[in-house]
Amino acid sequence: MTIIHGGNVYEVAARLGCSPDALLDYSASINPKGPPPGLLEEFTRVFHWLQHYPDIGNTRLVESIARFHGVNGGQVTVGNGSTELIYWLPRVLGVRDVSVVLPTFGEYRKAFEMERGSIHKLVTASENHFQPTVDDLERLRRRVSPQAILFTNPSSPAGTVLSGEVKDWILGASRSEKMFCIVDEVFVDFCEEESLKGHLEKAPGLILIRSLTKFYGIPGLRVGYVLASEGVTQRMKDLLPPWSVNTLAQMAGSFCLAQEDYRQETLALVQKERERMGERLIRTGPLKVFPGRANYLLVQLEGGLPSSAAMREDLLKEHGILVRDCTSFEGLSDRFVRLAVRLPDQNDALLHAVEQWVKGSQPSP
């Protein structure tokens, strides 16, 4: 099973015969500010540590994550990006009967299928902004009685958050390990108040997947982690290979979590630009913009516009702008694109390109 991802700038640049730096990448939702100031100097300061093996216990990084979220260190497991941890979850939890709320990150389905699990799909509706309702979940539980359900909060690629009623349902369902509720929170840094992390003590079946790479602009380093009960965390640590998080990644994760000014500046920038982009896209023409809370927007093409694949290729060819065609997301059609939120001048370039494309693509009256 091949999964298509955004951010494949190296492949696209090779096809176009240009440098990746020549592309304006709106297909991957990474902090447009780049890594926090001072990180390069930290790398230089600890460069000589590379002559040693990484800390096998990831001690400093685990302590930084626990302190940042107000949880116990025993509730934290770190890995070589959140994707590595996703692939270990089926074995850690010992589950084979899993339900996935769609659309979402495609690696979840692949991870459980590799363990020969049974996958049940809950395809959500546009009318509910691609998040499930309590009625959806109750019907699912009566129909298949899954051992685990996979949610995404904020959703991907819509960026919308779970309702309060659904959060309550999740907490009720995960009061024991009879059913696990796995919640992908890799973009919740942009709306931290929506996280379920404050309920871990009372919900042993609750598992939260987090990432440092999106918010802190370091996807090339691969740093992810899981917040869960100490029992689940210990089982995960027992199975994970040693030294999966390298020395520079451990140091970078700890450094990034301490950069509060950078965090606040990022939140202000992303919120302002996300709202500005959404308003202008709506004014552009037959485009529906979903009310996302992360650093990206899901846009539905309406009014006879060409497909999302056509938009992607046209913007790439004419403007060197790469957007995320969402056709590969199960549960979506070829009418959806995801646009990252970047810096103001970059967003202006994207918005101008989209306006030109819409104007040139609309059917003649």
Side-chain angles (χ1 to χ4, degrees), residues 26-39:
Y26 273 81
S27 70
S29 303
I30 307 299
N31 191 329
K33 290 170 62 65
L39 182 57

Side-chain angles (χ1 to χ4, degrees), residues 60-252:
R60 180 183 175 190
L61 178 55
V62 167
E63 289 175 351
S64 296
I65 292 170
R67 183 167 55 250
F68 182 86
H69 291 297
V71 300
N72 298 324
Q75 296 174 309
V76 179
T77 308
V78 298
N80 184 31
S82 57
T83 304
E84 179 192 42
L85 299 171
I86 288 168
Y87 274 80
W88 282 102
L89 274 178
R91 196 176 304 179
V92 168
L93 303 180
V95 297
R96 294 290 181 270
D97 200 336
V98 181
S99 295
V100 182
V101 177
L102 298 173
T104 192
F105 186 47
E107 298 294 344
Y108 285 106
R109 180 179 171 188
K110 184 175 180 180
F112 281 91
E113 285 183 344
M114 287 179 64
E115 291 295 321
R116 300 181 179 179
S118 298
I119 309 294
H120 307 283
K121 304 170 188 177
L122 172 53
V123 180
T124 55
S126 169
E127 293 75 16
N128 203 52
H129 299 154
F130 298 110
Q131 286 286 19
T133 66
V134 170
D135 287 344
D136 292 334
L137 296 168
E138 284 298 329
R139 283 193 295 268
L140 174 73
R141 186 154 61 174
R142 288 195 299 267
R143 179 168 58 89
V144 298
S145 298
Q147 295 173 293
I149 303 180
L150 301 166
F151 301 83
T152 314
N153 186 49
S155 61
S156 178
T160 52
V161 297
L162 295 169
S163 69
E165 293 81 6
V166 168
K167 287 181 180 178
D168 289 340
W169 189 95
I170 289 171
L171 295 175
S174 57
R175 286 199 182 105
S176 70
E177 292 186 5
K178 292 181 180 180
M179 186 174 75
F180 292 100
C181 289
I182 304 165
V183 185
D184 180 326
E185 291 190 342
V186 299
F187 286 104
V188 85
D189 307 74
F190 295 95
C191 48
E192 192 70 49
E193 67 278 6
E194 298 293 340
S195 174
L196 288 166
K197 63 187 181 184
H199 302 279
L200 290 171
E201 290 289 347
K202 297 181 180 180
L206 179 63
I207 297 166
L208 308 179
I209 298 173
R210 302 286 301 236
S211 171
L212 289 172
T213 59
K214 275 76 169 165
F215 190 89
Y216 293 100
I218 52 172
L221 279 176
R222 315 304 306 133
V223 190
Y225 56 102
V226 163
L227 302 179
S229 69
E230 294 192 21
V232 170
T233 297
Q234 189 57 55
R235 294 201 295 275
M236 183 164 275
K237 289 177 179 177
D238 290 342
L239 284 175
L240 281 170
W243 308 300
S244 65
V245 184
N246 68 65
T247 297
L248 294 183
Q250 289 185 34
M251 183 279 300

